[in-house]
Amino acid sequence: MFSSQMRMWDFQTLHSEYPTGWSQWKDNSRNVYRIARDDVTAILSNLQLWRSNIHSIEGKFGTGIGSYFSFLRFLVLLNCVIFLLMFFFTILPLAISKQGAFNSSQIIPSSLESECTVYSPTTQGLVYFYNNIIDLLSGTGFLELTYLFYGYYTVDLVTIYIFHYSLPLAYIMVTFVYLFLSIIWIVKRAVEGFKQSLVRDEDRFQSYCNKIFAGWDFCITDQYYARLKHSSLQNELKTDLAEERIRQRKEKRTRRETIRIYFLRLFLNIIVIGVLCVCFYAIYLATAYSQEHTSAMSSQKTDTLSLLVEYLPSIVITIANFITPLIFETIVRYEDYAPAFEIRFTLIRCVFVRLASIAILLISLWTKITSCSNRNCQPCGYNYKDYPCWESRVGQEMYKLMMFDFIIIVAITIFIEFPRKLLVTYCLWKPVQWWGQQEFEIPQNVLEIVYGQTICWIGTFYSPLLPAIAALKYFIIFYVKKITLMENCRPATRPFRASSSNFFFQVVLLIGLILACVPVGIGIAQIPASKACGPFLNYNTSWQIIPSTVDQFPEGLKKTIYVIASESFAVPFFMLSCLVMFYFMALVGAHKRVVEQLQEHLVMESRDKMFLIKQLTEAHSIYI
């Protein structure tokens, strides 16, 4: 074996001494590509949004809190991309057609029932200023007939020279594209975070060595950034030591202590289930009451009371979303979990409250839309009297949820967090000092933005400008959260690791995206489209435009699409996908075994070196 290694070494040496022209050209090309790639990566890294701000936060409060702000930056970029898709493919063609730059055809309702086509939002002349404020908060009035909502998009074809652009087809295709793009982008980021967490979990000793011996960046020359880097490494080591203490305490538990902690966890989880049931029931009652009394309040012209009734589901949802994380964070401290698992478990509990509240709201709303108390609405297929343009009504509900969520975040910062900091700083009363300065709670803040992003995904089909509002909202929230972190919060007593947090943040966001796809799919494929507004008023459902467009294709292309969409193609494709998946799983297992063998080989080599050093030391002492 030793001789074969020597022959391989001689061959490599000979090859390196006498390189051929082809190999030299390949090496030069590879080096040029690597240098160009590194330069482009460095330039893009320097152009990243809030790069210095996030590094400053990581240095002062740890990478766990820094990962939250990186997550917030990702959502800003994602919403900007979604908005650009909606703008260039739906809003811009409509705006061009409205200005008369190109020939366009308005959609003419073809429904035989004239009652189904009646949709006339009230456009008042002279109104009071507070009415405009109410319309701005609720999405009604002057906002209802703008690019903000679905009902305004009533153009069928835009003719650009000889090209016919179908706005309804583009509208539904962009919806599929932004949902698919979101899934791909989130899965990609989740895989990257999962690989980092796997590397960290494989060998804890290696993680310590990397931080202590190779964690410092010797290119840092500025004293300020050196302090930030020092604080970042210190917070990472605190996280490692905290998890190691919990791991050692878990290993030293007796059987009696283990049984006690499991019974305590069972009891606390029963309390958690009870809290969830109470929240869901309260949201259901608030939504049912709001839907039943909104029309009556509007007819009585009681603007303030009408706005309060309209926002009643949002108010109840916000109260539930504010109280339940506090309860769950208090409960989880008595369950004796590791800091990383603690944040995951709290997120899992709170995500049911956040996302299920949206589901309950939509179920209640769609039940009201599709059910009729009499037979007069049967020709239209939906409750056209109360909801002549139900898509715009759903968009208004999502708009109100997003606006109210933003108002609550800013109000809590101004009226709760800042006064708390002032009281703790200047008031010496013992209860106030016991209350103490607040910590930056990662689970609650992550759930806030996941909740808002889920609303954005659901509402974009019914309100195309909602991604722009979400991007602006998260842009402002970044600075609001940064200011409150720097001014009002203290470093967490139980630090969190960034690698596992990044992965789990993406998993929670992916759950929100899957939940958003369900109501959007039901609204497109199941619920009858409004006959009085929107681009699909001449179709039974929004999905019907897809088969209608396919029927206009040439016969060969049409047959190909039908074959791809049939079960005879889906079953073999599924089986082939399973085989490919099993192959890659086997490949991953083989690579993992090779890595484990290499790790064992490195351990053996280190032991051999230690043995040789010991022998040399003993021989040197004998010689002396």
Side-chain angles (χ1 to χ4, degrees):
M1 181 178 179
F2 179 75
S3 60
S4 63
Q5 290 179 350
M6 289 299 297
R7 284 196 301 269
M8 186 178 294
W9 172 259
D10 293 338
F11 174 77
Q12 292 176 353
T13 304
L14 181 64
H15 181 71
S16 60
E17 288 179 356
Y18 301 100
T20 62
W22 172 251
S23 62
Q24 189 174 6
W25 181 84
K26 286 197 302 183
D27 293 339
N28 292 334
S29 301
R30 191 181 298 112
N31 291 332
V32 170
Y33 171 74
R34 180 178 55 81
I35 293 172
R37 184 189 62 188
D38 294 341
D39 291 341
V40 172
T41 303
I43 293 172
L44 294 178
S45 177
N46 291 327
L47 293 177
Q48 278 186 338
L49 183 65
W50 300 318
R51 180 172 177 267
S52 59
N53 291 328
I54 294 176
H55 285 175
S56 176
I57 291 169
E58 289 177 349
K60 291 184 178 180
F61 296 94
T63 55
I65 294 179
S67 63
Y68 162 78
F69 287 92
S70 299
F71 184 54
L72 194 58
R73 176 177 61 189
F74 163 68
L75 290 183
V76 171
L77 298 177
L78 177 63
N79 284 297
C80 287
V81 172
I82 296 174
F83 167 69
L84 291 176
L85 288 173
M86 297 297 297
F87 177 78
F88 284 110
F89 291 100
T90 59
I91 300 173
L92 185 60
L94 179 65
I96 291 174
S97 65
K98 293 286 186 182
Q99 296 299 323
F102 297 101
N103 293 328
S104 62
S105 60
Q106 294 287 331
I107 302 176
I108 301 175
S110 60
S111 176
L112 299 177
E113 299 293 335
S114 59
E115 293 182 354
C116 300
T117 61
V118 176
Y119 174 60
S120 56
T122 56
T123 55
Q124 301 173 355
L126 182 63
V127 295
Y128 292 105
F129 177 73
Y130 68 84
N131 288 334
N132 290 328
I133 299 297
I134 292 174
D135 292 339
L136 184 65
L137 293 175
S138 60
T140 56
F142 70 95
L143 285 179
E144 194 165 354
L145 290 177
T146 61
Y147 294 97
L148 181 59
F149 292 113
Y150 169 95
Y152 190 69
Y153 295 78
T154 56
V155 173
D156 187 11
L157 287 176
V158 179
T159 304
I160 304 174
Y161 300 111
I162 61 173
F163 178 71
H164 299 285
Y165 187 81
S166 175
L167 185 63
L169 181 62
Y171 197 100
I172 196 168
M173 292 303 295
V174 169
T175 302
F176 296 149
V177 168
Y178 81 72
L179 291 174
F180 181 74
L181 176 65
S182 300
I183 291 175
I184 297 299
W185 203 346
I186 293 171
V187 170
K188 181 179 179 296
R189 287 176 58 90
V191 169
E192 292 175 355
F194 184 65
K195 289 190 293 186
Q196 293 177 4
S197 63
L198 279 181
V199 171
R200 289 181 177 271
D201 294 338
E202 283 293 328
D203 190 356
R204 297 189 299 274
F205 181 73
Q206 180 183 0
S207 177
Y208 288 122
C209 292
N210 289 336
K211 290 185 180 69
I212 295 173
F213 297 108
W216 186 258
D217 187 359
F218 289 95
C219 296
I220 297 176
T221 57
D222 187 80
Q223 185 177 3
Y224 172 73
Y225 289 105
R227 286 199 300 269
L228 288 179
K229 185 65 177 178
H230 182 271
S231 300
S232 178
L233 290 173
Q234 186 178 11
N235 283 316
E236 283 286 325
L237 290 173
K238 284 182 180 179
T239 304
D240 292 333
L241 293 174
E243 292 185 353
E244 189 65 28
R245 282 195 297 269
I246 293 175
R247 190 178 293 109
Q248 291 179 357
R249 188 168 67 246
K250 183 178 179 181
E251 293 175 354
K252 294 179 181 178
R253 282 179 189 162
T254 62
R255 182 176 297 179
R256 182 176 180 181
E257 292 175 344
T258 304
I259 294 173
R260 183 186 63 82
I261 194 67
Y262 278 117
F263 271 109
L264 178 61
R265 290 175 182 175
L266 178 62
F267 173 72
L268 293 176
N269 278 285
I270 293 173
I271 297 177
V272 169
I273 294 173
V275 172
L276 290 175
C277 293
V278 171
C279 292
F280 293 162
Y281 186 66
I283 294 169
Y284 173 77
L285 291 179
T287 305
Y289 182 84
S290 176
Q291 295 298 315
E292 291 176 0
H293 294 81
T294 297
S295 300
M297 292 295 179
S298 299
S299 62
Q300 295 174 6
K301 303 297 182 181
T302 53
D303 293 328
T304 305
L305 188 57
S306 176
L307 183 66
L308 181 63
V309 172
E310 286 184 4
Y311 267 89
L312 185 60
S314 302
I315 293 171
V316 176
I317 289 171
T318 303
I319 293 174
N321 293 339
F322 179 74
I323 294 176
T324 51
L326 299 177
I327 297 174
F328 295 157
E329 287 167 7
T330 303
I331 289 175
V332 80
R333 295 182 185 275
Y334 296 97
E335 295 179 309
D336 198 16
Y337 292 121
F341 185 78
E342 178 180 312
I343 187 173
R344 298 173 191 171
F345 203 45
T346 306
L347 277 169
I348 289 174
R349 286 170 171 172
C350 297
V351 76
F352 284 106
V353 180
R354 293 271 181 172
L355 302 184
S357 61
I358 304 175
I360 293 173
L361 174 64
L362 290 173
I363 290 171
S364 302
L365 185 61
W366 281 344
T367 302
K368 191 73 174 178
I369 291 170
T370 57
S371 63
C372 302
S373 58
N374 51 45
R375 296 183 178 180
N376 294 329
C377 62
Q378 288 182 357
C380 304
Y382 60 95
N383 189 355
Y384 69 93
K385 290 187 176 180
D386 295 331
Y387 304 95
C389 184
W390 66 264
E391 291 91 348
S392 291
R393 181 61 180 273
V394 174
Q396 289 171 354
E397 293 295 332
M398 297 298 104
Y399 174 81
K400 286 188 290 186
L401 285 175
M402 181 167 289
M403 293 294 294
F404 195 75
D405 182 59
F406 174 71
I407 292 172
I408 289 299
I409 291 174
V410 176
I412 288 175
T413 302
I414 296 175
F415 298 109
I416 294 180
E417 295 178 354
F418 276 109
R420 176 176 176 177
K421 172 64 181 299
L422 294 175
L423 285 174
V424 172
T425 304
Y426 297 106
C427 183
L428 301 179
W429 193 32
K430 286 186 177 180
V432 175
Q433 294 298 319
W434 174 80
W435 190 22
Q437 191 175 356
Q438 69 178 13
E439 296 181 3
F440 191 85
E441 300 292 346
I442 295 179
Q444 184 174 354
N445 286 280
V446 169
L447 283 172
E448 285 177 354
I449 57 178
V450 171
Y451 168 75
Q453 187 59 38
T454 305
I455 294 172
C456 178
W457 278 321
I458 296 174
T460 300
F461 181 78
Y462 307 104
S463 178
L465 286 179
L466 209 59
I469 298 174
L472 180 62
K473 168 189 169 182
Y474 291 139
F475 188 87
I476 297 173
I477 285 177
F478 181 92
Y479 290 101
V480 171
K481 293 296 182 181
K482 180 190 172 185
I483 292 173
T484 190
L485 175 68
M486 296 295 185
E487 301 296 332
N488 303 330
C489 299
R490 56 185 172 89
T493 55
R494 306 185 70 182
F496 300 104
R497 190 188 305 281
S499 58
S500 58
S501 299
N502 285 328
F503 167 67
F504 202 71
F505 292 169
Q506 303 301 326
V507 171
V508 174
L509 187 62
L510 187 61
I511 294 173
L513 177 56
I514 294 172
L515 178 67
C517 290
V518 174
V520 172
I522 293 174
I524 291 174
Q526 296 293 329
I527 302 180
S530 296
K531 303 299 186 292
C533 68
F536 307 105
L537 56 88
N538 287 328
Y539 296 95
N540 292 330
T541 60
S542 302
W543 173 256
Q544 192 179 3
I545 192 175
I546 301 295
S548 299
T549 304
V550 172
D551 289 338
Q552 300 175 5
F553 289 167
E555 192 66 26
L557 180 59
K558 184 168 63 174
K559 288 182 178 179
T560 303
I561 294 175
Y562 283 149
V563 168
I564 293 175
S566 64
E567 296 178 357
S568 59
F569 179 83
V571 174
F573 180 76
F574 176 74
M575 295 178 63
L576 181 62
S577 301
C578 292
L579 291 175
V580 172
M581 183 182 64
F582 289 144
Y583 167 75
F584 280 106
M585 290 175 63
L587 193 63
V588 168
H591 288 169
K592 186 175 181 180
R593 286 194 295 270
V594 171
V595 170
E596 291 175 353
Q597 291 175 0
L598 291 175
Q599 288 178 345
E600 293 177 359
H601 185 64
L602 288 174
V603 172
M604 294 298 295
E605 284 189 352
S606 63
R607 290 178 181 175
D608 292 341
K609 290 178 182 179
M610 293 176 64
F611 176 75
L612 291 175
I613 292 172
K614 183 178 180 181
Q615 293 294 325
L616 287 173
T617 304
E618 292 177 356
H620 182 69
S621 62
I622 293 173
Y623 177 76
I624 293 174

